[in-house]
Amino acid sequence: MKHYTRAVAGLALLASGVAAGTPALADGEVNIYSYRQPFLIQPLLDAFTKETGIKTNVVFSDKGLGERIAAEGENSPADVMLTVDIGRLDGAKQLGITAPISSDVVSANIPAEFRDPEGNWIGLTSRARIIYASKERVEQDTITYEELADPKWRGRICTRSGQHDYTLGLIASMIAHHGEEKAEEWLAAVRDNLARKPTGNDRAQVKSIFAGECDISIGNTYYMGAMETNEKEPEQKDWAASVKILFPNSDDRGSHVNLSGVVMAKNAPNRDNAVKLIEFLTSHDAQAIYAETNFEYPVTPGVTVSERVASWGTLKPDTLPLADVANYRKAASEMVDRVGFDEGPAS
């Protein structure tokens, strides 16, 4: 009981923005810092506890968790951090807060392109950066990222900020494939094709298509599922019904994919339980839960996507290692500023 109280106390201190002064030393539990919203991961954690008997303690925040772990140092109660986007996964590695994950189970479950070569992060699910296209105003059913620079799309593209993690990942992949010079020419041309300054999130872009403000937008696949099943805001079902998904570059290298993933904290007090959790999250059963509840793509081979996700079409993922994409994120961010992407088409 003493150990349990110490763990919860550390988590409570973190949640209030105060660094924990005592590590969580307890058998039978694992402490999770999560960028992923609790309702997205709770079914997985419930299944993990049912299978192992290990209790999960979760702190959620949409920013700053990696920096908090760094600030807490050896006293951090964090065992693992769950996050989205290769930028945050690689960022945790660069902060020096990760420990290599050594597990034959994980290596067998997760293909190499979805793992850090040094084991500092593990991908758990993938999501494709695709094109939402108006069913009424866009006849074509295929597209490439390169085609977004075609003048025929002038004034017809909506997207979120170029500095958002998801956009930076796509731009970084273009740099990896084409080199900086050609990627910058492409980005400037896409900027000139925008209908307005980048603003809002991925769902807001689909709303703009529904409203006739643009004809195509760039977004992540799972937002389609989130809109199609949104009972609290049923108008989003209408937004979703107005668009179709185009998977870019399906006839050549494949569509850019990004990850949700996990890192093990450098000073994890419950290291063995952390490894057990990570192994579970890469298992067939856990990946099936991810696929069904979060509208994401499993990264463990042999796990099928949900019927809803399958209905959107076939994803051919780009096999470019995400570690390579991460190497170009800084260059991508600088490029966004250099071409004035977030200033819109008049810049």
Side-chain angles (χ1 to χ4, degrees), residues 125-132 145 166 202-203 206 217-228 240 243 245-248 255-258 294-297 305 308-310 312-316:
T125 63
S126 67
R127 61 281 298 276
R129 198 76 181 150
I130 48 78
I131 304 301
Y132 288 106
Y145 297 116
Y166 300 157
D202 282 5
R203 279 188 251 200
V206 179
S217 70
I218 307 169
N220 283 351
T221 40
Y222 58 83
Y223 285 110
M224 179 65 98
M227 291 184 291
E228 288 178 336
V243 298
I245 286 179
L246 306 184
F247 291 92
S255 303
H256 169 64
V257 296
N258 213 313
N294 294 345
F295 314 116
E296 293 177 290
Y297 292 89
V305 300
R308 183 176 298 278
V309 172
W312 303 335
T314 302
L315 168 65
K316 177 185 176 182

Side-chain angles (χ1 to χ4, degrees), residues 149-195:
D150 191 313
K152 75 177 184 180
W153 297 113
R154 187 66 54 89
R156 301 176 67 188
I157 301 176
C158 288
T159 188
R160 71 194 308 162
S161 169
Q163 292 292 357
H164 190 274
D165 286 336
Y166 300 157
T167 313
L168 289 176
L170 174 58
I171 298 169
S173 76
M174 293 295 286
I175 296 173
H177 281 297
H178 297 294
E180 287 198 41
E181 183 177 351
K182 289 186 176 180
E184 185 161 337
E185 292 175 359
W186 169 82
L187 188 64
V190 175
R191 175 206 64 204
D192 290 342
N193 286 342
L194 295 178

